[in-house]
Amino acid sequence: MNDTTLQEMSFLKHLQHAVESYFFVVQLSRSAIFSEIFSYTACRQVLQLFLAIIFFHVSEYFLAIFFHGRSNVTLRSLLLSKTYILAMTFALLEYCLEVYFFPGLKEHWWISNIGLAILVMGEVIRKMAIITAGQAFTHLIKIYHEEHHKLVTSGVYSFVRHPGYCGFFIWSIGTQIMMCNPISTVTFAVVVWSFFAKRIPYEEYFLRQFFGSEYDEYAPRVPSGVPFVK
């Protein structure tokens, strides 16, 4: 063999080693990505989120049927709006990006467990509100007074005027703390608070129309249940 042939063979061997090393790194990287995304931590947190979402919406729907009758309830009682779906999609996207780039962020189990406890507390408060109010609880704001619509001031309503909103506010933030999603935690808190800050005054305008002095006496002594909303 001449020198040229030997150099070509040497070059080909180096090229082969380089290609093999490249594919090894790619395979290792893919394996690392797979293990991070489908790790025990990720699977548990995502599963908890989906179970929380399913239970929340399905229970809302069946409680509405229980108190108002099947004929008076539509799929709107599942409370699945486009904005809500977009928000949860954003939260899942944040989770996937962070579990890949900052996997250690999701390993703070004490934070995740606190979020789970907050989530459960919010769920309990909201369901207590629905069960206590019975037929008086509706997913849509009533602008006309109906005979069965009574002012409920007992039970959880003796502590906050809008326990349903209070419960959902706590629940929504709890879902993101449980997922260790810092961006979505702040975003959910701001967006949900802004929604209720507008909705509560609007709803209470009609409540004052329906119940007059009875509501005027009740409202000042019981907080709304949403921070900084009178």
Side-chain angles (χ1 to χ4, degrees), residues 31-74:
S31 177
I33 295 171
F34 184 86
S35 63
E36 286 167 2
I37 294 177
F38 295 97
S39 66
Y40 170 76
T41 298
C43 289
R44 174 181 161 177
Q45 290 171 336
V46 171
L47 178 62
Q48 286 177 167
L49 177 67
F50 277 107
L51 289 176
I53 291 174
I54 291 169
F55 180 82
F56 177 85
H57 294 286
V58 172
S59 60
E60 291 281 322
Y61 181 72
F62 282 106
L63 281 172
I65 291 176
F66 179 79
F67 287 112
H68 299 284
R70 179 67 185 87
S71 60
N72 297 315
V73 176
T74 67

Side-chain angles (χ1 to χ4, degrees), residues 119-208:
L119 180 159
V120 172
M121 180 174 66
E123 182 72 70
V124 170
I125 292 173
R126 182 168 175 88
K127 293 309 184 280
M128 286 176 62
I130 296 175
I131 293 170
T132 301
Q135 284 190 320
F137 190 98
T138 59
H139 289 134
L140 299 177
I141 293 176
K142 292 291 185 181
I143 60 175
Y144 300 105
H145 187 238
E146 298 177 357
E147 186 177 349
H148 65 266
H149 193 183
K150 308 294 183 183
L151 179 62
V152 181
T153 59
S154 60
V156 69
Y157 288 87
S158 63
F159 298 100
V160 290
R161 300 196 307 275
H162 300 279
Y165 298 159
C166 173
F168 182 80
F169 181 71
I170 294 171
W171 180 88
S172 64
I173 296 174
T175 62
Q176 300 312 304
I177 296 176
M178 181 188 69
M179 299 290 283
C180 297
N181 277 355
I183 297 174
S184 291
T185 297
V186 176
T187 304
F188 272 49
V190 171
V191 171
V192 176
W193 182 88
S194 299
F195 175 76
F196 288 137
K198 296 175 182 178
R199 186 179 176 94
I200 287 175
Y202 177 73
E203 181 174 353
E204 291 196 336
Y205 169 80
F206 293 104
L207 291 173
R208 284 186 166 86

Side-chain angles (χ1 to χ4, degrees), residues 9-25:
M9 290 179 65
S10 177
F11 172 76
L12 290 173
K13 284 183 179 180
H14 284 301
L15 181 61
Q16 181 183 0
H17 287 313
V19 171
E20 288 175 351
S21 298
Y22 171 77
F23 281 108
F24 175 76
V25 171

